Amino acid sequence: MRVLPKANDICWCGSGQKFKRCHKNSTDPVRPGRISPLRPVPASIPRPMWADGGVLEKWDEPRIKSDDVIERMRQTGREAADTLAFLGTVIAPGATTDDIDVACHDRAVSIDAYPSPLEYPGGPNAYPKSVCTSVNEVICHGIPDDRKLIDGDIVNCDVTLFKRGVHGDTNATFYVGNVDQASQDLVRITRDCTAAGIAAAQPGNRINDIGRAIQDLAEKHGYGVVRDFVGHGIGEQFHTDLQICHYYHPRLDDPIEPGMTFTVEPMITQGSYRAQMWSDGWTATTTDRSRTAQFEHTILITEDGPEILTTPSDTSNHPYWTL
Ligand code: MF3
Ligand code: CO
Ligand code: CO
């Protein structure tokens, strides 16, 4: 487990510089900021059951989807991916994570999609924003607020759209300005872990082959694999009971079958994989404040192998394909 260095220690990033001359500021902990008022979604847009203070879904959807659901998921998945790629255009030093929320919310509404995280039940309060923005040591579910992005930060944006009665769930980690080599390595290997997990999602394999592939690659590089958050079945429901661990779990030995749709979304850390929660009940960080990255796709299992449903129309400005 990595502990924060003292000011005169050598920095953890490999530069050979003193910590105070190098990464002291960029490793200042992320702190909660001000959360702006709720952004409404026009009543004309079809909404999931949790909108307007509604209840949580039952997580009981059948694992094998109909051709009709699959085709709708292809379309909504692509639109979620296009929205995620679009968020990259607002990410820069000085932009706030709330600016990212505005971009995601307005874009979703402009294409008649409901941003699935908005009012999703959980924690002491329903999730108050339209996207999750997780900076540096924040593992996942960071809430957009007035914190300005700083040169050298890394930020994960997790977009889920609800349209055509189905969800498309996808995320990527973006660089803010110039990012140190250690963080770039983390982000690239995390992308590769996601790709390795997806490649292992072959019909005939078992669910735990996915986590085995991810864990093998991550640990080869000395990284940690977060245990407390997992991939999930998805479709007409945002989350279903199907769990995809990103580490090897011996009991998750159900066969992977054509027609299944689920997410692969490993969270990889520079240090400890242990997570702790802010008092907002949503924001999860590493316990040692080491940085962490994530990529997520919604995939379909076909007879021929996995199909990434959250592939954007143009892969040339999407970090999963360009890093
Ligand atoms: N998109 C997240 C996932 O990958 C879930 C976010 S739920 C929220 O499963 F309420 F935090 F938005
Ligand atoms: Co997900
Ligand atoms: Co997600």
Side-chain angles (χ1 to χ4, degrees):
M1 191 188 296
R2 191 178 68 83
V3 288
L4 279 179
K6 298 208 169 55
N8 285 314
D9 288 352
I10 299 301
C11 190
W12 47 266
C13 79
S15 67
Q17 300 277 320
K18 286 185 176 175
F19 180 56
K20 67 180 178 190
R21 299 256 169 265
C22 194
H23 274 99
K24 188 164 185 309
N25 290 332
S26 63
T27 53
D28 274 352
V30 178
R31 296 181 194 286
R34 254 183 221 136
I35 298 174
S36 62
L38 184 127
R39 300 192 161 86
V41 175
S44 57
I45 295 178
R47 44 231 289 130
M49 56 200 289
W50 54 86
D52 315 303
V55 295
L56 189 59
E57 58 199 354
K58 296 231 265 325
W59 299 24
D60 60 355
E61 182 176 340
R63 291 185 176 183
I64 307 297
K65 309 303 188 212
S66 68
D67 291 347
D68 166 57
V69 166
I70 287 168
E71 191 43 42
R72 287 185 278 136
M73 288 184 73
R74 265 196 195 99
Q75 296 177 34
T76 300
R78 187 192 311 114
E79 288 181 326
D82 289 345
T83 303
L84 177 60
F86 169 67
L87 297 186
T89 66
V90 308
I91 292 169
T96 67
T97 49
D98 195 59
D99 294 335
I100 300 173
D101 187 68
V102 171
C104 184
H105 184 90
D106 290 354
R107 166 106 180 191
V109 163
S110 76
I111 58 170
D112 287 321
Y114 183 95
S116 309
L118 190 62
E119 295 201 77
Y120 195 72
N125 294 108
Y127 192 80
K129 291 287 154 200
S130 298
V131 63
C132 300
T133 53
S134 302
V135 176
N136 297 346
E137 75 271 17
V138 178
I139 294 170
C140 63
H141 302 166
I143 300 172
D145 62 20
D146 66 352
R147 180 189 184 277
K148 286 189 167 78
L149 296 170
I150 302 167
D151 186 63
D153 282 347
I154 57 174
V155 58
N156 178 278
C157 299
D158 191 344
V159 171
T160 312
L161 296 187
F162 179 70
K163 185 173 171 181
R164 305 176 185 84
V166 295
H167 298 271
D169 186 6
T170 186
N171 74 47
T173 302
F174 295 84
Y175 299 152
V176 181
N178 298 305
V179 168
D180 65 83
Q181 190 61 50
S183 297
Q184 290 186 33
D185 293 346
L186 170 73
V187 173
R188 281 217 187 84
I189 298 300
T190 302
R191 185 272 313 277
D192 294 347
C193 285
T194 309
I198 293 170
Q202 301 290 337
N205 279 1
R206 294 175 187 280
I207 293 290
N208 57 15
D209 288 322
I210 297 168
R212 191 204 317 262
I214 292 166
Q215 185 174 20
D216 281 355
L217 180 55
E219 292 183 354
K220 196 173 95 188
H221 290 272
Y223 294 139
V225 179
V226 170
R227 310 298 205 250
D228 289 4
F229 301 91
V230 300
H232 50 92
I234 181 168
E236 297 183 302
Q237 297 179 356
F238 189 173
H239 299 99
T240 78
D241 63 344
L242 175 61
Q243 291 201 5
I244 313 295
C245 285
H246 303 112
Y247 55 97
Y248 177 70
H249 193 304
R251 282 191 301 280
L252 291 182
D253 60 356
D254 288 357
I256 296 172
E257 293 173 62
M260 284 181 160
T261 53
F262 54 80
T263 70
V264 177
E265 50 177 305
M267 287 139 275
I268 305 298
T269 64
Q270 290 177 320
S272 171
Y273 63 74
R274 287 182 190 285
Q276 63 188 102
M277 186 87 78
W278 283 4
S279 57
D280 63 16
W282 286 104
T283 308
T285 74
T286 56
T287 53
D288 62 1
R289 294 197 197 131
S290 69
R291 287 186 169 198
T292 165
Q294 182 181 24
F295 286 82
E296 173 176 30
H297 282 300
T298 297
I299 68 169
L300 163 71
I301 307 306
T302 77
E303 306 278 353
D304 302 327
E307 175 184 334
I308 299 179
L309 298 178
T310 43
T311 303
S313 318
D314 175 7
T315 54
S316 73
N317 50 21
H318 188 299
Y320 184 84
W321 282 273
T322 55
L323 278 179

